[in-house]
Amino acid sequence: MKFILRSVALGIILAVVCQTVFAYEIDTHARLSEASVATSVLKKDSTLLKDLGLTASEKFKNSDGKDKVIDLLIADGARFEDGLKSDCETRPQHHFYDPARDQGLRWLTVSGEKSPDWALEDIKDNDKQDFSYKDARYYLYRALTATTEEDRNKYFGLTFQTLGHVIHHPQDMAQPQHVRNDTHIMAGED
């Protein structure tokens, strides 16, 4: 009987003292993305941006209309992918991929696309997805072929922001909660 009482008491203490563990907070995605850019070919190969007619200090608008340098556009994309916009209810449900079952999130009435399918959009088109790798390629093409400076800047901004959206997904796949059917979606966290 003492063992049972001690076990119950320990359980209550642990429940009160321990905090629930969630996946990355939104700003963690931005910081991971900035660190990735800092060690990427964008920073190590000075001719890459120059060949595109760009500089590292050049600013482009993000989807909120704010001028940002390339590093911060990518960080914004990683942050925005968690749904800090009007689609905050739906984007995070597409951040899961259970490789054992080859499926995305399935919980009660929630059914998400598999994270790789959502991020790449290479198998089928999704009219609710404007920030996939497929979209990034389209935005880059539009930036390179734009006939006005305004369009060029708009599409370069979308290209780099969208890359941030895409790299959000491999970051999530490093979280065990994202590779099994483990719902943890809460406001401000993914």
Side-chain angles (χ1 to χ4, degrees):
M1 185 68 167
K2 286 183 181 181
F3 175 76
I4 293 172
L5 289 174
R6 286 183 186 159
S7 297
V8 169
L10 180 61
I12 291 170
I13 290 170
L14 287 174
V16 170
V17 174
C18 295
Q19 296 180 3
T20 304
V21 177
F22 295 101
Y24 297 135
E25 291 184 11
I26 290 172
D27 285 333
T28 302
H29 282 289
R31 288 192 306 274
L32 286 170
S33 299
E34 288 180 62
S36 297
V37 171
T39 61
S40 75
V41 69
L42 282 174
K43 294 292 183 178
K44 293 184 179 190
D45 183 353
S46 62
T47 63
L48 179 67
L49 290 176
K50 187 177 176 184
D51 288 347
L52 293 172
L54 304 175
T55 66
S57 61
E58 195 166 354
K59 292 185 177 183
F60 303 100
K61 293 196 182 310
N62 67 13
S63 60
D64 280 345
K66 295 180 181 169
D67 288 327
K68 302 276 183 104
V69 294
I70 293 169
D71 309 39
L72 297 180
L73 284 167
I74 293 172
D76 278 352
R79 185 181 296 111
F80 293 167
E81 182 60 26
D82 270 335
L84 294 178
K85 298 183 165 287
S86 62
D87 53 3
C88 66
E89 297 294 321
T90 59
R91 291 195 84 78
Q93 76 186 33
H94 306 295
H95 294 184
F96 296 80
Y97 177 58
D98 181 346
R101 294 178 181 83
D102 190 33
Q103 69 180 24
L105 179 65
R106 301 286 182 268
W107 184 71
L108 298 175
T109 61
V110 176
S111 179
E113 294 278 334
K114 294 184 279 188
S115 177
D117 294 347
W118 178 257
L120 299 175
E121 201 177 10
D122 60 341
I123 295 174
K124 67 177 183 172
D125 288 336
N126 187 324
D127 61 350
K128 294 181 181 181
Q129 171 59 307
D130 293 325
F131 300 103
S132 67
Y133 181 69
K134 177 182 177 181
D135 296 315
R137 291 173 50 110
Y138 171 74
Y139 298 143
L140 178 60
Y141 173 79
R142 291 294 307 264
L144 295 173
T145 60
T147 57
T148 68
E149 189 74 15
E150 183 180 347
D151 282 347
R152 174 189 175 275
N153 290 339
K154 171 187 172 183
Y155 286 109
F156 270 128
L158 284 170
T159 298
F160 294 115
Q161 179 184 319
T162 301
L163 289 176
H165 281 266
V166 173
I167 66 173
H168 179 112
H169 290 267
Q171 294 169 359
D172 274 355
M173 294 302 101
Q175 277 289 337
Q177 294 164 314
H178 282 275
V179 295
R180 59 183 186 231
N181 206 35
D182 185 350
T183 58
H184 66 276
I185 300 171
M186 292 185 66
E189 300 194 28
D190 177 33

